[in-house]
Amino acid sequence: MAEDKRDYYEVLGVDKSVSDDELKKAYRKAAKKYHPDLHPGDAEAEKSFKEVNEAYEVLSDKEKRARYDQFGHAGVDPNFGAGGGYGGGFGGGFGDFGDLGDIFGSFFGGGFGGGSRRNPNAPRRGNDTAASVNLSFEEAAKGCKKTVKVTKIENCNECGGTGAEKGTSPKTCPVCHGSGQVSATQRTPFGVMQTQKVCDHCHGSGKIIDNPCRKCAGKGRIRHTVEQTVEIPAGIDDGQIINLRGGGDAGVNGGPSGDLRINVNVRPHPIFERDGFDVYCEIPITFTQAALGAEITVPTLDGKVKFTIHEGTQPGDEFKLRGKGIQRLNYSGKGDQYVKINVEVPKDLSKTQKEKLKEFDSVTDDKNYRKRKTFMDKVKDFFNE
Ligand SMILES: [Zn+2]
Ligand SMILES: [Zn+2]
């Protein structure tokens, strides 16, 4: 919205009497703050960066600044009031600021201009893509094959990624000679400056396609969704990511493909829990089994195993089944399984059952209940009885 345009002086944080020098300083500071290379993917920063550049372009030009002072935005923007924005003309203007390029050069490792000077023919790696997969506890523990839907950009197989109809090939742009950039000389308050602009003729691609490929409309690339089979390694856990190198978007100009990153979700198991590669479960036994000892059946990931509970097993006692845990991810060997014993006290007893228990109780003494005996002794001590 044109009405929302901020005052140019306000954008740069200077007042109306600002000198050229101060203006330049303020611009450098603001441009550094919002530079897209420092805020990749941040639309707000990008907007601020454009705003800053726009403000500086006007205020650094004596004529434009005078018109702006007199008429406001309407004085400098031909589209003002007609609903059009300024942004369209901005594209290639990064190079307009002479020595500022050096500042950004050192600041951003030589890449001043957010890509405006990038060689359009240089190989570029494709973007990473993401997918997710839902696994059962056993599938994660033992590994499996899964099919995931992946949306990615691939080179058009019809034109081999060139964007030109089969049998033809793209021409080097005659205006920019393939660089995607054209130079222009511009007079500014700081002197005559060499300006780099995106080539209008080829829109920066450096190439002209006379007969665009019909399948990809000349883009050379097609986005589509494919079903991909993924090998899930044994031992993977919830929240981990499987990285498939080269499974992402195709690269540009022969650059390598990005990676496909698969987020792993593992559903909980009704019996087992997992910590690292160890498996935990809790088994309820009767108090008679606990008192007399028993052979019990223990579920493991590899099937049922028999285990002998010794006489006098207590609630919370734990035993370990060595090697019955989960396959170590990318290593040999397995974790262990830990089994915790829970002694269940019987409920809803019949009259006969209660009588039998009372009869049993009448023939027990402190020797049978050592923990209880020790505890009662401590209580007596505590109260000096
Ligand atoms: Zn094509
Ligand atoms: Zn060109």
Side-chain angles (χ1 to χ4, degrees):
M1 290 290 116
E3 305 85 66
D4 291 335
K5 258 176 128 68
R6 282 171 69 205
D7 178 68
Y8 286 150
Y9 291 98
E10 193 193 309
V11 166
L12 293 172
V14 295
D15 61 50
K16 284 206 164 192
S17 60
V18 67
S19 70
D20 286 350
D21 250 21
E22 280 162 1
L23 183 71
K24 198 168 161 186
K25 262 187 221 158
Y27 165 71
R28 287 179 180 183
K29 211 173 122 194
K32 260 190 198 175
K33 187 171 165 196
Y34 296 118
H35 197 282
D37 285 3
L38 287 184
H39 307 276
D42 182 343
E44 273 311 306
E46 194 188 339
K47 215 177 118 210
S48 302
F49 186 64
K50 284 187 176 169
E51 207 180 18
V52 162
N53 279 288
E54 185 187 325
Y56 183 70
E57 186 164 296
V58 170
L59 297 186
S60 61
D61 181 317
K62 279 199 167 59
E63 243 181 71
K64 282 185 187 170
R65 183 170 167 183
R67 276 209 306 279
Y68 178 73
D69 287 345
Q70 199 173 356
F71 303 111
H73 288 112
V76 289
D77 185 349
N79 297 318
F80 188 77
Y86 181 90
F90 172 66
F94 295 105
D96 289 13
F97 309 111
D99 63 325
L100 296 181
D102 300 340
I103 297 165
F104 288 120
S106 53
F107 204 47
F108 302 112
F112 175 69
S116 73
R117 279 186 187 170
R118 187 189 274 164
N119 174 5
N121 301 309
R124 290 201 302 279
R125 183 177 180 274
N127 288 325
D128 292 342
T129 54
S132 66
V133 69
N134 295 311
L135 305 175
S136 71
F137 190 92
E138 296 96 310
E139 284 173 331
K142 301 195 164 193
C144 62
K145 276 195 175 110
K146 280 274 160 179
T147 305
V148 292
K149 271 203 171 128
V150 187
T151 299
K152 61 177 172 181
I153 294 172
E154 288 185 337
N155 285 325
C156 172
N157 56 10
E158 189 67 24
C159 60
T162 64
E165 189 65 25
K166 236 182 189 166
T168 71
S169 51
K171 293 188 311 204
T172 301
C173 172
V175 175
C176 63
H177 308 292
S179 72
Q181 306 270 327
V182 287
S183 324
T185 310
Q186 199 182 41
R187 199 168 289 278
T188 79
F190 312 120
V192 176
M193 289 178 182
Q194 194 75 352
T195 306
Q196 291 285 102
K197 279 178 61 178
V198 171
C199 173
D200 284 341
H201 195 59
C202 63
H203 307 291
S205 71
K207 290 183 196 114
I208 299 290
I209 296 168
D210 288 331
N211 303 300
C213 166
R214 265 165 290 182
K215 192 171 175 193
C216 63
K219 290 192 183 79
R221 291 156 76 72
I222 293 178
R223 176 184 294 278
H224 52 178
T225 303
V226 291
E227 299 225 314
Q228 184 162 345
T229 305
V230 182
E231 196 78 39
I232 308 289
I236 198 93
D237 205 351
D238 188 51
Q240 291 183 322
I241 291 171
I242 299 170
N243 194 58
L244 292 187
R245 184 152 298 216
D249 287 348
V252 179
N253 297 324
S257 295
D259 295 344
L260 169 58
R261 295 168 67 75
I262 298 169
N263 298 293
V264 174
N265 304 308
V266 180
R267 290 191 291 274
H269 193 277
I271 299 174
F272 303 122
E273 279 183 36
R274 173 174 175 177
D275 183 16
F277 301 106
D278 293 332
V279 168
Y280 291 79
C281 76
E282 192 173 296
I283 296 184
I285 60 172
T286 70
F287 81 155
T288 315
Q289 284 178 313
L292 303 180
E295 187 178 70
I296 61 167
T297 301
V298 178
T300 76
L301 284 169
D302 303 322
K304 294 173 184 170
V305 298
K306 297 274 183 215
F307 189 82
T308 305
I309 302 280
H310 61 74
E311 230 181 272
T313 291
Q314 299 295 315
D317 277 2
E318 203 173 55
F319 59 88
K320 179 162 97 174
L321 299 174
R322 192 174 291 278
K324 290 290 182 196
I326 291 168
Q327 173 64 50
R328 292 180 193 281
L329 186 63
N330 302 327
Y331 288 95
S332 61
K334 287 180 170 186
D336 303 318
Q337 178 168 344
Y338 291 88
V339 179
K340 194 171 173 182
I341 294 299
N342 189 0
V343 176
E344 184 171 9
V345 175
K347 289 204 261 191
D348 299 323
L349 297 177
S350 69
K351 205 173 157 225
T352 324
Q353 288 170 325
K354 284 178 185 171
E355 274 164 12
K356 297 260 184 212
L357 273 183
K358 280 178 189 161
E359 195 187 320
F360 169 71
D361 205 39
S362 67
V363 294
T364 62
D365 54 31
D366 285 348
K367 194 169 79 66
N368 305 118
Y369 294 108
R370 285 207 191 120
K371 267 194 229 168
R372 184 169 159 275
K373 165 83 170 64
T374 314
F375 179 74
M376 293 318 287
D377 288 348
K378 283 180 187 161
V379 171
K380 272 186 192 161
D381 274 2
F382 181 61
F383 292 109
N384 297 314
E385 284 166 5

